[in-house]
Amino acid sequence: MNIEQKAKQTLSEIKLNKKDKILVALSGGKDSSVVAYLLKKFGYSTLPSRSERKGTSIEGFHIDLKMGKYSEDCLNAVKELCHNLGIKLHVYDIRKEMGNSMCNIRLNVQSKKSLKNCAICGVIKKWILNKEARKLKAKYIATGHHLDDEIQTFLLNILKGSPELNANTGVISRNIKNEKFIPRIKPLFYILEEDIKKYSLKHKLPVVYEKCPCAIDSYRIQIRQFMKSLNKKQKMNLMKNSEQISQKTKKKNEEIKYCEICGEPARNKICKMCSILRK
Ligand code: SF4
Ligand SMILES: [Zn+2]
């Protein structure tokens, strides 16, 4: 199966309705750009009938992290992609909205807590995405996570001694049922990163191939290095293991609370974002 067939099959597993609004979380990188390109190609941007015409069913959402030239390049790439695809783009300017660039937010946190760059940035981006997707009345958030990402997360959870965290993986975040939580879907879940790269190059998508300059000390980077030594078959075997563990550890309708500080859905009294930013 080629990448388009695999993505189509994954989307059919999720049973999307073409009228549901999908917000694609666009970073400017190849993975999320390919997601937007494929959704558009598969007809997810088809306008609803004239009587219920409210806009296209896919829209892009980009968080401008204000991390210098890298962020500028990402923003330009995302603008060009959305222009080419004819989809609406929403840009969240972190400096305007949160008062600081991601680099400064991270430095403030790291002066009090020993957390890696991506651990801080990832939590903040997820929080923003869920909140803004809800405001925009999106039914789903589509992300560019692919097979290599999923295996990395699986290995990370095993190495951290928390295999139960693998229950949260899957093509859709179905186990969290909460009206304030927008489910995330991963159309590239079964696709290898190298195939996505080839596809984005073949279709000449405007993409920033350079890695994020702040990803230097991430634990995930070490795992990524290790994964370079694996062949396709070994990766597929790891994926199968991950899915089996995920099925076994899946909790039904996990109880979700609301954060006492920001009111967003959370697993604990205080959400991850607020506990990170708290002094
Ligand atoms: S690689 Fe890490 S620091 Fe860079 S944007 Fe992604 S999560 Fe943030
Ligand atoms: Zn909170």
Side-chain angles (χ1 to χ4, degrees):
M1 260 199 274
N2 66 29
I3 145 165
E4 291 185 4
Q5 290 162 328
K6 279 187 193 165
K8 229 179 216 170
Q9 197 177 57
T10 305
L11 289 167
S12 68
E13 250 180 66
I14 305 169
K15 296 188 181 67
L16 295 181
N17 181 331
K18 285 196 176 171
K19 285 184 192 165
D20 289 338
K21 192 198 265 190
I22 305 169
L23 200 65
V24 186
L26 291 169
S27 63
K30 62 187 185 322
D31 311 321
S32 51
S33 304
V34 166
V35 169
Y37 181 86
L38 287 174
L39 287 174
K40 168 82 187 194
K41 184 163 187 175
F42 297 159
Y44 284 93
S45 65
T46 315
L47 284 167
S49 67
R50 198 172 277 277
S51 58
E52 41 180 358
R53 191 164 286 184
K54 288 178 188 127
T56 53
S57 59
I58 56 165
E59 294 181 3
F61 186 84
H62 175 71
I63 306 176
D64 183 357
L65 298 170
K66 297 288 175 197
M67 301 195 300
K69 168 120 180 22
Y70 175 75
S71 291
E72 283 167 26
D73 291 346
C74 289
L75 178 60
N76 289 336
V78 162
K79 281 184 179 169
E80 193 181 333
L81 180 84
C82 290
H83 173 78
N84 294 350
L85 296 180
I87 63 173
K88 190 169 178 179
L89 171 66
H90 305 270
V91 177
Y92 182 99
D93 180 324
I94 201 159
R95 195 178 281 138
K96 270 194 205 144
E97 303 287 343
M98 297 184 68
N100 232 332
S101 67
M102 180 55 84
C103 302
N104 286 335
I105 296 175
R106 261 195 330 250
L107 287 173
N108 285 340
V109 172
Q110 284 165 335
S111 66
K112 294 165 242 142
K113 294 171 188 169
S114 89
L115 284 171
K116 307 261 187 199
N117 283 357
C118 293
I120 301 167
C121 182
V123 165
I124 295 176
K125 286 195 299 185
K126 260 193 193 170
W127 183 91
I128 295 171
L129 205 52
N130 190 63
K131 201 170 166 181
E132 297 302 310
R134 204 172 58 239
K135 273 195 212 160
L136 293 168
K137 301 198 178 349
K139 184 88 188 271
Y140 299 103
I141 297 167
T143 67
H145 290 95
H146 46 64
L147 193 135
D148 292 72
D149 285 326
E150 295 308 315
I151 299 172
Q152 283 161 26
T153 306
F154 169 68
L155 291 174
L156 263 176
N157 289 336
I158 299 279
L159 292 175
K160 280 196 280 187
S162 316
E164 73 285 354
L165 291 178
N166 288 311
N168 303 326
T169 62
V171 293
I172 177 165
S173 48
R174 258 189 238 282
N175 59 332
I176 306 173
K177 297 252 187 296
N178 182 282
E179 54 176 16
K180 287 181 98 177
F181 180 79
I182 310 299
R184 285 186 294 269
I185 59 169
K186 301 171 187 171
L188 309 181
F189 192 80
Y190 295 108
I191 302 173
L192 287 163
E193 183 174 18
E194 58 184 88
D195 294 337
I196 297 169
K197 186 169 182 186
K198 280 184 206 147
Y199 188 86
S200 70
L201 287 167
K202 184 177 162 201
H203 293 274
K204 299 189 173 57
L205 299 185
V207 157
V208 176
Y209 288 101
E210 184 194 323
K211 290 278 172 213
C212 168
C214 299
I216 35 180
D217 62 355
S218 164
Y219 198 4
R220 197 175 271 272
I221 305 289
Q222 293 169 23
I223 307 254
R224 203 171 280 155
Q225 283 304 113
F226 160 72
M227 280 183 58
K228 283 188 184 156
S229 64
L230 302 178
N231 59 36
K232 275 191 188 182
K233 189 157 186 277
Q234 289 168 322
K235 285 185 184 176
M236 297 313 285
N237 284 341
L238 272 170
M239 188 65 171
K240 275 188 214 149
N241 279 294
S242 160
E243 286 191 305
Q244 280 166 6
I245 292 190
S246 160
Q247 288 308 324
K248 284 191 185 138
T249 47
K250 206 152 248 169
K251 297 175 203 153
K252 278 194 190 132
N253 294 333
E254 191 179 344
E255 198 210 331
I256 292 291
K257 305 173 181 73
Y258 294 110
C259 171
E260 289 179 359
I261 298 176
C262 69
E264 285 298 296
R267 288 201 168 86
N268 300 306
K269 279 185 176 182
I270 310 284
C271 76
K272 275 193 190 168
M273 154 93 170
C274 291
S275 60
I276 278 182
L277 294 186
R278 222 160 45 153
K279 293 199 170 88

